[in-house]
Amino acid sequence: MRVLVLNADYPRFMSWLYRREPGLENASYASQMAARNASLFGVADFYSRNFAGLGHVAADIHVNNPWMRAAWAREHGLAVTPPPPPNAPSARDAIPGWLQRAVAPFKPVLRPLARKVGLSPRLDAEAEKVLLAQIEDFRPDLILNQDLFHVDTRLVRRIKQICRSTMVGQVGIVPSRGEDWSVYDLLISQIAAVVDFFRQQGACSEVIHLGFEPAILDVLPPAPARSIDVSFVGAVSADHQQRVAQLEAVARRYDLKLFGSGLHTLPASSPLHRCYQGEVWGVDMYQALRASRVTLNSHIDMAGPEAGNARLFEATGIGAFLLTDFKDNLHTLFEPGREVATWRSADDCIALINRYLNDEPARMAIAAAGQARTLSTHTFRQRVSTILQLAGCK
């Protein structure tokens, strides 16, 4: 079977990727794809390599990467507008930090409105033309769309006009309302509330969690010394109010190292500013986790009572000791107290940090048990097998 995985990348990641490899934007499509996958950021090629590992032909398209798009078009005789240099200033860069902080509390309210009036991320006509040409060229039997916003239901209908692929969509948040999701054969999410939403819309939907790619362990540089007492890797913003409160409490007591984005949305008085270590992507993120005696996890507010973010599997899979927020379903993924440690309040989190920083044998035992659980239960090979079964494919 021929399987195509559609995905999209954060603009900040793409800026980092092309900045660290000058001239990459002029390289071949294959070379750019290889560099993107070698970064190990996000899900990289973890889905496609496991579809291939099960005997299928699989490929990825990063739908919002204009330099990869231009390379593919050039190699296939399609005329497209040359994209700007990868690190040209964006409109967002021109917005003063104080203004970004001022509007941050209103983003959860403004986001649905932006989608309603057509300001959500959608591909322009030229990007759609190239994507449709790529799909027609590959002739997939199954498409796994991991970005329901760039590749919306209108575009999915166009895709289904040119190929009769089984269409699977994957998303971790409730998408825009008022769309006809029946264009998908299957919609999957790690969040049961999202699955319930799709089912209420009359669509076929199932829970499938994220995972870890064990091959990462074979290609990472040697593990660094555990020189960081407490770390957190991820974003802080108005969408992470519980996370920010917890991290600020920890920062007042411990030498927290914060890696990620969103600091510009916090007031200047936040203690997290002095903890900030910059952004880390892919390999650098895994190395930061490995260098930590304790690494923290906190879900986005909209996750509600459900656990399922990527950090659960990234941190445990890499062998880090994970102290994560308690969720009602966490026990279905890991055994609390044996495979991960869990906190229920900021005070609880601080007490557990103190406990495990002073008990290395217990800390290392939990880290080892968490890694064993992830490698046995939460791999991308297992997720891909489940997708194929639910989509009615073999």
Side-chain angles (χ1 to χ4, degrees):
M1 194 168 64
R2 301 179 65 80
V3 182
L4 189 59
V5 181
L6 308 182
N7 213 331
D9 277 327
Y10 297 142
R12 296 177 71 90
F13 164 73
M14 288 191 286
S15 177
W16 170 86
L17 177 66
Y18 285 88
R19 185 170 60 248
R20 71 195 289 263
E21 296 195 32
L24 179 62
E25 69 275 16
N26 299 316
S28 68
Y29 182 79
S31 295
Q32 293 188 52
M33 182 66 76
R36 167 63 185 84
N37 291 338
S39 74
L40 302 183
F41 172 64
V43 298
D45 62 344
F46 304 153
Y47 282 98
S48 60
R49 73 164 66 184
N50 282 288
F51 279 116
L54 291 173
H56 305 288
V57 177
D60 297 274
I61 297 176
H62 295 278
V63 300
N64 68 330
N65 185 316
W67 306 285
M68 293 180 72
R69 180 190 311 132
W72 191 93
R74 182 172 62 248
E75 293 166 12
H76 289 79
L78 290 180
V80 295
T81 305
N87 290 291
S90 67
R92 184 184 180 281
D93 295 331
I95 301 174
W98 66 266
L99 182 56
Q100 295 187 42
R101 287 192 293 272
V103 302
F106 302 101
K107 283 185 177 179
V109 176
L110 295 175
R111 189 177 294 112
L113 178 61
R115 291 175 184 162
K116 186 174 181 180
V117 299
L119 298 179
S120 60
R122 283 177 56 174
L123 300 180
D124 61 29
E126 187 171 83
E128 285 191 10
K129 179 185 75 172
V130 176
L131 175 60
L132 293 173
Q134 289 175 296
I135 292 171
E136 190 169 15
D137 179 73
F138 187 76
R139 296 175 289 107
D141 301 298
L142 183 146
I143 296 176
L144 173 59
N145 178 22
Q146 297 188 295
D147 195 298
L148 273 62
F149 303 103
H150 282 92
V151 184
D152 58 16
T153 54
R154 174 196 54 82
L155 183 51
V156 171
R157 285 186 177 80
R158 293 193 64 190
I159 291 172
K160 298 199 82 168
Q161 289 174 354
I162 64 173
C163 65
R164 296 182 178 180
S165 304
T166 297
M167 182 65 65
V168 179
Q170 182 173 19
V171 67
I173 62 172
V174 174
S176 303
R177 298 180 182 274
E179 297 192 48
D180 182 3
W181 297 103
S182 65
V183 68
Y184 283 93
D185 299 283
L186 175 67
L187 288 152
I188 60 177
S189 178
Q190 71 272 29
I191 302 297
V194 177
V195 169
D196 290 341
F197 165 81
F198 285 127
R199 289 175 176 175
Q200 291 166 8
Q201 307 299 308
C204 177
S205 187
E206 298 289 345
V207 172
I208 297 183
H209 281 279
L210 302 174
F212 179 74
E213 177 49 55
I216 288 174
L217 299 172
D218 298 325
V219 299
L220 285 176
R226 294 193 184 275
S227 58
I228 300 172
D229 278 345
V230 187
S231 71
F232 176 78
V233 181
V236 290
S237 73
D239 292 335
H240 306 92
Q241 294 183 22
Q242 181 190 45
R243 175 184 296 177
V244 170
Q246 174 233 2
L247 293 177
E248 288 183 339
V250 171
R252 295 186 182 100
R253 294 285 298 274
Y254 294 96
D255 183 21
L256 173 69
K257 303 300 185 187
L258 174 63
F259 303 87
S261 62
L263 265 291
H264 64 275
T265 67
L266 303 183
S269 60
S270 173
L272 296 183
H273 288 285
R274 62 175 169 78
C275 304
Y276 188 52
Q277 307 297 303
E279 294 178 323
V280 286
W281 308 97
V283 172
D284 293 337
M285 179 204 70
Y286 288 114
Q287 293 297 78
L289 295 174
R290 295 168 102 191
S292 305
R293 295 182 178 90
V294 173
T295 193
L296 304 174
N297 185 41
S298 177
H299 288 73
I300 193 169
D301 295 344
M302 68 179 66
E306 294 186 73
N309 65 6
R311 196 72 71 242
L312 283 171
F313 310 108
E314 292 166 342
T316 55
I318 210 68
F321 170 85
L322 182 65
L323 177 53
T324 187
D325 46 348
F326 175 83
K327 296 292 182 181
D328 291 347
N329 69 325
L330 182 63
H331 69 282
T332 67
L333 301 171
F334 296 96
E335 184 178 338
R338 196 183 77 84
E339 297 169 338
V340 295
T342 59
W343 59 270
R344 294 173 182 259
S345 68
D347 288 343
D348 189 30
C349 182
I350 290 170
L352 288 166
I353 291 172
N354 183 65
R355 171 185 172 185
Y356 285 110
L357 283 179
N358 290 293
D359 191 346
E360 183 174 2
R363 191 176 72 240
M364 299 305 292
I366 289 174
Q371 184 177 43
R373 177 65 177 271
T374 291
L375 296 180
S376 66
T377 310
H378 301 307
T379 66
F380 279 104
R381 178 64 57 89
Q382 291 161 315
R383 304 307 191 229
V384 162
S385 294
T386 302
I387 289 171
L388 291 171
Q389 291 170 1
L390 291 175
C393 306
K394 297 181 180 180

